[in-house]
């Protein structure tokens, strides 16, 4: 038995019966189990109990063993002065201080179904993908699980974006540019692409965006790729970058993206060229994102977006590819940008405008195809089918923040499993 499980059982009243009796044999009626306190101090606040027709109001402290009261040094802590009940799993010692104050001790081991403890311990010890995979089925997914989980993710993401928004002096266009840059970098180069974006004043991007070659040169130059030109096109980019460095006082900082473990279409050369074209095509991109009412509108923003002509025959500088092919944005990549850049910022903006549009954002996610990755594949192996990005985003977030950390006691699916008997 662990104390956090004991707290969980108390909070959700998961007992075989609640005809409680204290260590002296007195009946205890729990009128209010209290509010679970996750900060310092007693475990449950503002509780009410009734003993011998007398009602007591105050706090309840839970321990695995009654002797933990001494080991945790609660006697010297003023936060524990208003304790009305000491609930323990095993009553292994009499606490003189509590006896003197006539604070009852309730031994809970006789009121807890041992199968609940067994299920919890089994989930934690036999994990391959998720702790509950041996007993998982889709019937255990609560109603509105996907919606509630995705809103939780968006709220957490909004907290991160708020910090960045302050750094960009409340400029949502700049925030979107940095978020899109991060998304364009994919997993390998996401942070590096963010650093490239942060090294450029967004006002400079807005001024340069009208000239596609210059914007491309700006990105390539900061990436440190133009120092030694290998062909005529590289020389033109280098010339443009040298001009922009002087004009906009760009510091001599090279932030080199990675190529290792990337498929050629995802090379940073291709992605930065495509990013340059996106911003060349769209002034006030943020305003367009905010105006979207249907997911299909987002896809129109990517119409004809591709890497520049040089990249039709290249994946890297100076190396001609045997296959001539325009480097356009795939539908899957467009979905990734919409999911990870457009929609979180749209949610943040509308929340800050006090607009209750959570349902609209969720509906937009539901109009986007489900993602394909190893986490979703593992859920699929458990028999779970996904129809849209609302579901896949929820499942990925839930796995990363609950399942992988084995936070079964904070999981609505885990709650249903532990609550079931047998």
């Amino acid at each position: 038995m662990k104390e956090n499980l004991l707290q969980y059982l108390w909070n959700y009243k998961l007992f075989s019966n609640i005809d409680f009796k204290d260590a002296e044999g007195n009946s205890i009626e729990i009128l209010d189990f209290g509010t679970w306190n996750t900060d310092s101090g007693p475990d449950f606040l503002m509780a009410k109990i009734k003993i011998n027709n007398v009602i007591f109001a105050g706090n309840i402290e839970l321990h695995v063993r009654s002797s933990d009261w001494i080991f945790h040094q609660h006697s010297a802590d003023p936060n524990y002065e208003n304790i009305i009940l000491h609930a323990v799993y095993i009553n292994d010692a009499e606490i003189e201080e509590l006896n003197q104050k006539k604070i009852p001790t309730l031994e809970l081991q006789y009121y807890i179904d041992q199968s609940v403890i067994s299920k919890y311990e089994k989930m934690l010890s036999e994990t391959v993908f998720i702790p509950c995979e041996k007993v998982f089925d889709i019937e255990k997914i609560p109603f509105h699980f996907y919606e509630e989980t995705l809103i939780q993710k968006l709220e957490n993401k909004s907290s991160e974006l708020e910090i960045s928004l302050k750094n960009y002096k409340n400029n949502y266009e700049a925030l979107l540019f940095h978020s899109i840059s991060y998304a364009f970098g994919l997993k390998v180069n996401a942070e590096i692409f963010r650093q490239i974006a942060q090294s450029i004043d967004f006002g400079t991007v807005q001024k340069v965006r009208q000239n596609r070659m210059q914007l491309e040169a700006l990105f390539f130059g900061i990436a440190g790729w133009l120092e030694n030109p290998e062909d005529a096109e590289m020389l033109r980019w280098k010339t443009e970058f040298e001009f922009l460095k002087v004009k906009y006082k760009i510091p001599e900082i090279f932030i080199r993206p990675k190529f290792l473990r990337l498929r050629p279409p995802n090379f940073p050369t291709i992605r930065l060229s495509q990013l340059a074209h996106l911003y060349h095509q769209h002034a006030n991109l943020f305003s367009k994102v905010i105006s979207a009412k249907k997911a299909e509108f987002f896809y129109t923003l990517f119409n004809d977006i591709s890497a520049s002509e040089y990249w039709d025959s290249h994946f890297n500088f100076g190396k001609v590819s045997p296959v001539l092919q325009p480097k356009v944005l795939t539908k899957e990549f467009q979905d990734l940008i919409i999911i990870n850049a457009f929609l979180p910022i749209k949610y943040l903006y509308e929340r800050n405008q006090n607009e209750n549009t959570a349902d609209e954002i969720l509906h937009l996610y539901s109009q986007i195809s489900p993602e394909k990755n190893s986490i979703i594949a593992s859920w699929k192996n458990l028999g779970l089918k996904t129809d849209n990005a609302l579901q896949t985003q929820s499942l990925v977030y839930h796995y990363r923040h609950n399942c992988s950390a084995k936070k079964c006691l904070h999981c609505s699916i885990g709650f249903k499993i532990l609550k079931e008997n047998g």
Side-chain angles (χ1 to χ4, degrees), residues 259-381:
F259 289 82
L260 192 63
R261 294 190 298 276
L262 285 173
R263 293 173 55 249
N266 288 327
F267 276 4
T269 46
I270 307 300
R271 293 308 184 194
L272 283 178
S273 179
Q274 292 167 337
L275 178 62
H277 192 201
L278 179 65
Y279 270 86
H280 171 67
Q281 285 287 90
H282 297 289
N284 306 316
L285 185 56
F286 168 75
S287 300
K288 296 177 181 179
V289 168
I290 294 305
S291 69
K293 299 299 180 185
K294 294 183 179 180
E296 61 189 36
F297 173 78
F298 290 130
Y299 297 108
T300 66
L301 301 176
F302 299 115
N303 285 346
D304 303 321
I305 299 299
S306 64
S308 58
E309 188 177 351
Y310 176 85
W311 301 107
D312 289 354
S313 57
H314 295 74
F315 286 103
N316 210 332
F317 293 98
K319 299 177 181 178
V320 178
S321 170
V323 179
L324 185 68
Q325 184 179 32
K327 307 301 189 298
V328 299
L329 299 179
T330 64
K331 169 66 163 50
E332 185 176 359
F333 190 80
Q334 293 176 36
D335 288 343
L336 184 149
I337 302 302
I338 296 168
I339 289 169
N340 294 307
F342 288 0
L343 290 178
I345 289 181
K346 183 176 173 66
Y347 179 84
L348 170 68
Y349 175 78
E350 293 179 350
R351 189 192 68 166
N352 286 349
Q353 300 303 310
N354 296 316
E355 297 181 17
N356 187 16
T357 57
D359 288 343
E360 178 187 326
I361 300 295
L362 293 175
H363 184 59
L364 288 170
Y365 273 100
S366 72
Q367 296 173 356
I368 300 169
S369 300
E371 299 154 272
K372 296 178 182 178
N373 53 50
S374 60
I375 295 176
I376 297 303
S378 295
W379 283 111
K380 186 177 180 180
N381 289 337

Side-chain angles (χ1 to χ4, degrees), residues 54-330:
V54 179
I55 295 176
F56 299 88
N59 305 323
I60 296 175
E61 179 66 6
L62 273 67
H63 285 125
V64 174
R65 295 175 177 79
S66 52
S67 56
D68 289 340
W69 179 275
I70 298 171
F71 295 141
H72 295 175
Q73 300 180 336
H74 292 326
S75 299
D77 192 335
N79 290 316
Y80 293 85
E81 290 180 357
N82 193 29
I83 296 295
I84 59 173
L85 178 65
H86 189 209
V88 302
Y89 183 64
I90 298 174
N91 186 19
D92 69 335
E94 286 194 20
I95 310 301
E96 184 177 350
E97 174 195 358
L98 298 181
N99 289 339
Q100 290 176 352
K101 294 180 178 180
K102 296 184 178 180
I103 296 172
T105 296
L106 171 60
E107 189 169 17
L108 293 172
Q109 65 170 316
Y110 306 112
Y111 304 95
I112 297 173
D113 191 326
Q114 292 301 309
S115 68
V116 175
I117 301 174
S118 298
K119 283 180 185 178
Y120 178 65
E121 292 177 344
K122 187 175 182 180
M123 284 195 295
L124 296 188
S125 64
E126 297 185 359
T127 303
V128 177
F129 170 55
I130 58 174
C132 64
E133 62 187 69
K134 295 285 180 70
V135 291
F136 177 84
D137 67 64
I138 59 175
E139 298 299 324
K140 293 184 174 71
I141 297 179
F143 192 61
H144 288 321
F145 167 81
Y146 296 116
E147 292 83 356
E148 291 172 358
T149 303
L150 183 52
I151 289 296
Q152 183 182 0
K153 174 183 179 174
L154 289 169
E155 282 294 319
N156 288 343
K157 183 63 177 178
S158 292
S159 298
E160 298 174 11
L161 291 172
E162 285 280 13
I163 297 172
S164 298
L165 186 60
K166 290 179 181 178
N167 293 335
Y168 307 140
K169 300 178 181 178
N170 215 41
N171 186 335
Y172 280 94
E173 288 282 5
L175 179 65
L176 180 62
F177 170 65
H178 290 87
S179 295
I180 292 175
S181 298
Y182 183 88
F184 259 81
L186 299 173
K187 187 175 182 179
V188 172
N189 284 307
E191 194 56 47
I192 294 173
F193 274 33
R194 195 212 303 268
Q195 291 173 15
I196 290 174
Q198 289 174 340
S199 70
I200 312 167
D201 185 279
F202 184 65
T204 301
V205 174
Q206 289 179 307
K207 293 172 184 175
V208 173
R209 58 158 292 276
Q210 297 180 45
N211 186 320
R212 178 178 179 178
M213 172 177 253
Q214 284 192 338
L215 188 55
E216 214 173 3
L218 182 62
F219 293 160
F220 292 162
I222 292 173
W225 290 330
L226 304 178
E227 295 175 276
N228 301 301
E230 298 181 40
D231 54 36
E233 190 69 9
M234 284 189 71
L235 183 58
R236 283 193 288 271
W237 277 319
K238 178 178 174 62
T239 302
E240 295 291 350
F241 180 60
E242 294 297 333
F243 167 75
L244 295 172
K245 268 201 310 183
V246 175
K247 183 175 182 178
Y248 296 107
K249 299 178 181 177
I250 298 170
E252 289 275 355
I253 300 175
F254 295 146
I255 306 169
R256 298 184 185 277
K258 301 173 183 177
F259 289 82
L260 192 63
R261 294 190 298 276
L262 285 173
R263 293 173 55 249
N266 288 327
F267 276 4
T269 46
I270 307 300
R271 293 308 184 194
L272 283 178
S273 179
Q274 292 167 337
L275 178 62
H277 192 201
L278 179 65
Y279 270 86
H280 171 67
Q281 285 287 90
H282 297 289
N284 306 316
L285 185 56
F286 168 75
S287 300
K288 296 177 181 179
V289 168
I290 294 305
S291 69
K293 299 299 180 185
K294 294 183 179 180
E296 61 189 36
F297 173 78
F298 290 130
Y299 297 108
T300 66
L301 301 176
F302 299 115
N303 285 346
D304 303 321
I305 299 299
S306 64
S308 58
E309 188 177 351
Y310 176 85
W311 301 107
D312 289 354
S313 57
H314 295 74
F315 286 103
N316 210 332
F317 293 98
K319 299 177 181 178
V320 178
S321 170
V323 179
L324 185 68
Q325 184 179 32
K327 307 301 189 298
V328 299
L329 299 179
T330 64

